Amino acid sequence: MAEKPQLVNNSPEDIQTDDCMSTYTHIYSPDLLIDQVAFITGGGSGIGFRIAEVFMRHGCDTVIASRNLEKLTEAAKKLTGATGRRCLPTVMDVRLPETISSAVEKTLKEFGRIDILINNAAGNFLCPATSLSFNAFKTVMEIDTMGTFNTSKVMYDKWFKDHGGSIVNISATLGFRGQALQVHAGSAKAANDAMTRHLAVEWGPSGVRVNTVAPGPISGTEGYSRLGGTHAETAGAFRSIPLQRAGNKTEMAHSVLFLASRAASYVTGSLLVADGGAWLTSANDVERLLCILSSRSAKL
Ligand code: HXC
Ligand code: NAP
């Protein structure tokens, strides 16, 4: 019997931890973001960290902004060490507009400009609607949806209104079909997808583009571990994904880089699904999700 031909693996380098990659192959021009400044919420870990690294490898300086200064400071050291670009760690909570204002003012003082905003900060956990407290639903809405609005509005008022800019929101496909145990995150991300279109329409005349990347399961991330990625992989659940695997963080960074950069100069209000086709075919496997949930402590 003829052997199955070996498929070309086009996925770029990545590593599972929140460290910079030891090698990186440019597929875009290395000076695509030269001397620009990107403000990345949640840039101290996971997908946000890799977005910061890839942007810096394209000539950009970055601000990584979230709640945990120790984590951010360590991340910034790694990012500057690997890329030679500047990275400013800044504490803020996307739920508190005054902390965002301070962080944006600090950025403008340090760098004198902001070209790109990545709304990547989010909170999530698996929980059936019946067990979800009112405060738990509200907390995720406040981080994911209010947080995206708060940060976008502060950035627009303080800089983008007069200088233009590019916003990329990090979403998810959960709400497209209605994933079980995810009513909080799915509702929050669906609201964000609408927000992308509203703000693209309203802010387009000021030279602000607003777009979204919706990742699928991305290995080496908090989201992957909280939502049972390893369990799904071991159980062979990724065979139902058209591309038959999880994505990696560098792949997400490349999708975000496209939309954030001048490569997408005529693209606004769009949503780029970067999930290997997962949402089209993946089973809504409630039994598997409940099994992951019961194998953990109630609070993650
Ligand atoms: C049920 C939970 C819960 C859990 C918290 N709560 N964890 N309920 N199951 N596992 C409830 C609490 O009991 C409380 O309600 C309310 O939520 C707020 O909890 P706090 O701990 O006070 O909130 P806070 O300190 O603000 O922390 C926010 C958080 C936390 C979201 C709960 O997990 C966090 O900081 N996460 C950030 C990192 C993260 O989540 N990364 C993964 C992103 S992945 P009560 O009623 O008791 O007061 C992602 C993937 C999307 O977004 C799509 C993937 C396909
Ligand atoms: P992650 O590393 O936990 O990233 C979330 C980041 O948000 C953290 O760095 C966290 O930092 C920050 N954050 C949380 N609450 C905040 C708050 N109130 N204010 C400011 N910052 C806050 O998880 P990830 O898996 O890489 O997720 C990144 C993004 O991708 C999220 O938008 C997520 O919804 C999306 N996504 C992920 C996957 C996946 O498979 N991983 C799939 C689909 C979508 P602090 O704790 O320091 O605040």
Side-chain angles (χ1 to χ4, degrees):
M1 204 167 67
E3 263 183 44
K4 204 178 164 193
Q6 196 71 36
L7 297 178
V8 178
N9 183 353
N10 277 326
S11 53
E13 299 103 320
D14 192 33
I15 47 173
Q16 296 294 301
T17 56
D18 289 338
D19 292 291
C20 293
M21 299 173 282
S22 55
T23 61
Y24 176 74
T25 311
H26 284 86
I27 54 174
Y28 296 87
S29 166
D31 66 359
L32 185 61
L33 297 182
I34 197 77
D35 293 336
Q36 294 194 16
V37 176
F39 189 102
I40 304 165
T41 68
S45 61
I47 293 171
F49 178 90
R50 189 68 75 237
I51 293 170
E53 177 185 349
V54 168
F55 277 27
M56 291 167 81
R57 290 182 183 275
H58 289 82
C60 196
D61 293 326
T62 58
V63 179
I64 52 175
S66 69
R67 297 164 299 176
N68 182 336
L69 182 60
E70 205 183 317
K71 177 171 102 178
L72 292 168
T73 306
E74 198 194 326
K77 240 184 245 160
K78 290 179 193 170
L79 289 163
T80 294
T83 67
R85 298 300 306 196
R86 288 195 292 164
C87 177
L88 180 70
T90 308
V91 173
M92 64 172 228
D93 188 322
V94 293
R95 293 169 286 193
L96 303 172
E98 62 279 16
T99 67
I100 305 170
S101 287
S102 304
V104 170
E105 279 160 18
K106 194 171 152 195
T107 303
L108 291 171
K109 208 165 161 198
E110 180 82 12
F111 293 114
R113 62 188 289 164
I114 302 171
D115 301 279
I116 296 164
L117 166 63
I118 309 299
N119 283 308
N120 164 80
N124 196 11
F125 43 79
L126 290 175
C127 189
T130 46
S131 314
L132 195 65
S133 72
F134 295 114
N135 189 40
F137 185 86
K138 183 174 167 219
T139 298
V140 171
M141 292 300 289
E142 280 183 349
I143 299 173
D144 293 20
T145 301
M146 291 302 299
T148 296
F149 179 73
N150 294 342
T151 313
S152 302
K153 180 171 162 57
V154 169
M155 194 63 73
Y156 183 80
D157 290 345
K158 287 194 180 293
W159 189 255
F160 283 0
K161 182 172 51 156
D162 298 322
H163 302 88
S166 175
I167 300 176
V168 180
N169 298 323
I170 310 303
S171 186
T173 61
L174 301 166
F176 290 10
R177 293 196 303 166
Q179 175 73 52
L181 317 193
Q182 287 286 269
V183 64
H184 41 306
S187 303
K189 296 294 194 179
N192 289 4
D193 296 348
M195 198 190 305
T196 293
R197 293 185 289 274
H198 285 283
L199 295 181
V201 168
E202 201 165 316
W203 292 349
S206 309
V208 179
R209 295 188 297 107
V210 190
N211 291 293
T212 288
V213 168
I218 306 304
S219 61
T221 66
E222 185 66 23
Y224 192 79
S225 111
R226 285 187 185 220
L227 304 190
T230 312
H231 188 276
E233 200 166 7
T234 314
F238 291 161
R239 279 200 297 272
S240 70
I241 297 177
L243 294 187
Q244 310 213 311
R245 63 175 176 87
N248 76 36
K249 292 173 285 187
T250 310
E251 289 176 308
M252 296 308 101
H254 286 163
S255 293
V256 175
L257 176 56
F258 166 69
L259 287 173
S261 76
R262 64 182 188 277
S265 55
Y266 201 52
V267 181
T268 196
S270 77
L271 185 151
L272 174 59
V273 177
D275 74 337
W279 84 270
L280 296 168
T281 53
S282 294
N284 192 10
D285 196 340
V286 184
E287 291 305 316
R288 189 180 61 76
L289 291 172
L290 284 172
C291 166
I292 295 161
L293 192 61
S294 61
S295 67
R296 295 175 178 225
S297 59
K299 279 195 187 184
L300 295 174

